[in-house]
Amino acid sequence: MVCLEQVHKVYPNGAIALQGINLTISKGAFLLITGRSGSGKSTLLKLLYGAEQPTTGQVFVAGASLQNMQGRALALLRRKIGVIFQDYKLIPNRTVKENVAMLLMAQGLPPAEIDKRVFPALKMVHLANKQDCFPDQLSGGEQQRTAIARAIVNRPPLLLADEPTGNLDSANSLQILKILEKLHGLGVTVIMTSHDNLVIDNFAHTRMHLNNGCLVSQP
Amino acid sequence: MTTYTASTLAIKLRYLLRETWLGIKRSGWMNWSAVSAIAILLCLLGLGLLASWQMDNILADLGNQLEISVYLQEAAEPQKMQAVLSAVAGVADASIIPKDQAWQALLAEMGKSGIDQVTELLGANPLADEVKLRVYPNADIAAIAKQIKQISGVEEVWYTSAIAQGLEQLRLAISLVSAALVGICVLAAVSVISTTIRLIISARKTEIEVLQLVGATQRWITLPFLFQGIAYGTLGAAIAYTMLLILIRSLALVLDSQPALVQALLGQIWQDWRCYAILPLTLISFGTGVGLFSSWLAVRRLSGS
């Protein structure tokens, strides 16, 4: 599903984010990447959804090389990847349903098909009764669950979660972890980053640690 | 290859129009800065066009009064010459003024009543038969006069060359001033609208970022902004045209009580068909074109994201 070959990433200001990363993640895996803030976790995920390009090395996602991929090809690849962010990135003046349905609307799907896909996604994250609320009417946990619903509504085979519990209390963090477990159970490949000890302690799958951009423990 | 059915296209168009409308609704006061700027600029453009057309009308009227006087040789037959001269390109009308008639008119002007007496005194009528030519508006009067001079049977050709040249220079000056005005209008409108769209993009930065990350294509992200630019242009054109219509209709009401010079300058511009066909079409085309170009300038940076 995901393959990184000799990946180095140096930002224009000279900061070294990743060094010599070789990693293969098979379909259906659930991987937790741990590491301190600034260790390169977010950069690694950005390489996977094409928001950054490696300085050297190759990145493959779903069989496609991301090297210099842009425009329509990158947009189509991103539809196969669900992304969850620490700060949720919800649109404040759109309802929960509109936030979740954004991509489906942009793809030109008919309203009936959108409803057919949005409702199960909201049900999966236990927000079916909040679809007409705006983000500022939701708690932090509910906002993150909305972001998860948005990430999975297009039924992507790969889900990237960048510190999904970073802004949440322990109860909400465990709920998010449970939802991700459920998605993994449905066959979705999940790659999550975290430095939250609660998440790390309750995680029962493959772990990997990044230290100053270097992979120090292989899955 | 993607196959688009009519219903898919209708759904996509509805989505784009909805997004455009939402964008306009959320842009608040920024909409009005863009629309009012383009409306004012289109008003200036419209006024420039109206002034230019009015000058055209005045020049055409003056042009209609331009005449060439062709004096014939003694042996030339006026009727035959009239036919030959009528056939010259650019000549609208040719009329004969027999030398006797011209002579009588001259004497009348001089206050002499006893024509036979004066003719007897001079020995004969000294004038030549004349053919007066009226040329078409915009015709090159100097070139026509030169061509006529070479026709056999023509003794002398007179025309008001100074006036003709002056009119041509004035027409050229009006064209240049209009072009400069249009150029300034374009620059100002592009600047105002693209700045407005950039502000709107900046305000919706997160939304655009999310759309990019979830896999919306660049086209679908940028099209609502382009539509928004077109909407500004169309609305600006509608406002500008309404204001210009009110202006020219008001002129029609107040012109009767104005001095003759003012009446001559303003003419009957409200009766010019171009005010009701070319003017609205020009304003809408110009407005939508400038709106589209300005928003394209603002969104093209998104393509690199």
Side-chain angles (χ1 to χ4, degrees), chain A residues 32-218:
Chain A
L32 173 66
I33 301 169
T34 59
R36 282 182 304 146
S37 188
S39 60
K41 302 187 299 293
S42 295
T43 301
L44 182 59
L45 293 193
K46 280 181 183 172
L47 292 177
L48 298 184
Y49 60 81
E52 292 288 349
Q53 284 285 326
T55 309
T56 58
Q58 287 273 4
V59 177
F60 297 91
V61 174
S65 168
L66 266 74
Q67 193 166 25
N68 300 323
M69 188 186 271
Q70 54 185 348
R72 188 172 170 77
L74 183 60
L76 293 180
L77 180 78
R78 281 175 174 170
R79 290 180 193 179
K80 295 178 189 167
I81 306 170
V83 190
I84 304 163
F85 304 93
Q86 182 177 351
D87 58 353
Y88 325 130
K89 291 199 191 295
L90 297 177
I91 312 304
N93 42 23
R94 296 206 186 217
T95 64
V96 165
K97 187 183 171 186
E98 285 170 340
N99 266 285
V100 173
M102 257 175 120
L103 173 64
L104 304 179
M105 289 196 286
Q107 280 179 273
L109 293 184
E113 178 65 23
I114 291 175
D115 287 343
K116 216 168 111 185
R117 291 200 198 184
V118 169
F119 187 71
L122 286 174
K123 210 174 156 194
M124 165 77 82
V125 297
H126 315 296
L127 282 175
N129 58 338
K130 301 247 175 169
Q131 60 174 350
D132 295 322
C133 294
F134 287 91
D136 62 0
Q137 296 169 325
L138 303 176
S139 69
E142 287 171 332
Q143 289 189 43
Q144 189 58 294
R145 281 187 277 143
T146 305
I148 294 176
R150 183 183 60 197
I152 61 171
V153 73
N154 210 29
R155 300 164 189 163
L158 175 63
L159 187 64
L160 307 176
D162 190 6
E163 302 270 8
T165 62
N167 289 338
L168 304 178
D169 59 25
S170 54
N172 276 309
S173 296
L174 289 176
Q175 195 180 12
I176 297 297
L177 194 58
K178 222 166 140 186
I179 291 168
L180 295 178
E181 286 275 12
K182 203 166 154 187
L183 289 166
H184 169 243
L186 292 170
V188 178
T189 307
V190 183
I191 304 173
M192 177 170 71
T193 65
S194 183
H195 65 271
D196 182 349
N197 286 331
L198 182 78
V199 171
I200 296 167
D201 293 343
N202 284 279
F203 189 76
H205 302 276
T206 316
R207 294 179 203 181
M208 204 184 78
H209 189 72
L210 270 173
N211 188 18
N212 292 328
C214 295
L215 204 60
V216 292
S217 57
Q218 291 283 354

Side-chain angles (χ1 to χ4, degrees), chain A residues 49 72 75 78-79 83 85 89-91 93-94 98 102-103 105-111 150, chain B residues 2 8 11-12 14-15 18-19 22 26 204 206-207 209-217 220:
Chain A
Y49 60 81
R72 188 172 170 77
R78 281 175 174 170
R79 290 180 193 179
V83 190
F85 304 93
K89 291 199 191 295
L90 297 177
I91 312 304
N93 42 23
R94 296 206 186 217
E98 285 170 340
M102 257 175 120
L103 173 64
M105 289 196 286
Q107 280 179 273
L109 293 184
R150 183 183 60 197
Chain B
T2 314
T8 313
I11 288 167
K12 290 192 171 189
R14 199 172 63 180
Y15 164 79
R18 182 173 166 271
E19 288 300 303
L22 281 176
R26 285 175 192 153
R204 296 174 65 188
T206 313
E207 192 170 343
E209 187 190 349
V210 171
L211 278 168
Q212 286 171 333
L213 291 177
V214 297
T217 56
W220 288 103

Side-chain angles (χ1 to χ4, degrees), chain B residues 35-56:
Chain B
V35 171
S36 51
I38 201 163
I40 291 166
L41 295 164
L42 288 178
C43 263
L44 285 175
L45 173 71
L47 282 173
L49 277 176
L50 288 174
S52 161
W53 292 339
Q54 184 55 20
M55 280 311 297
D56 266 357

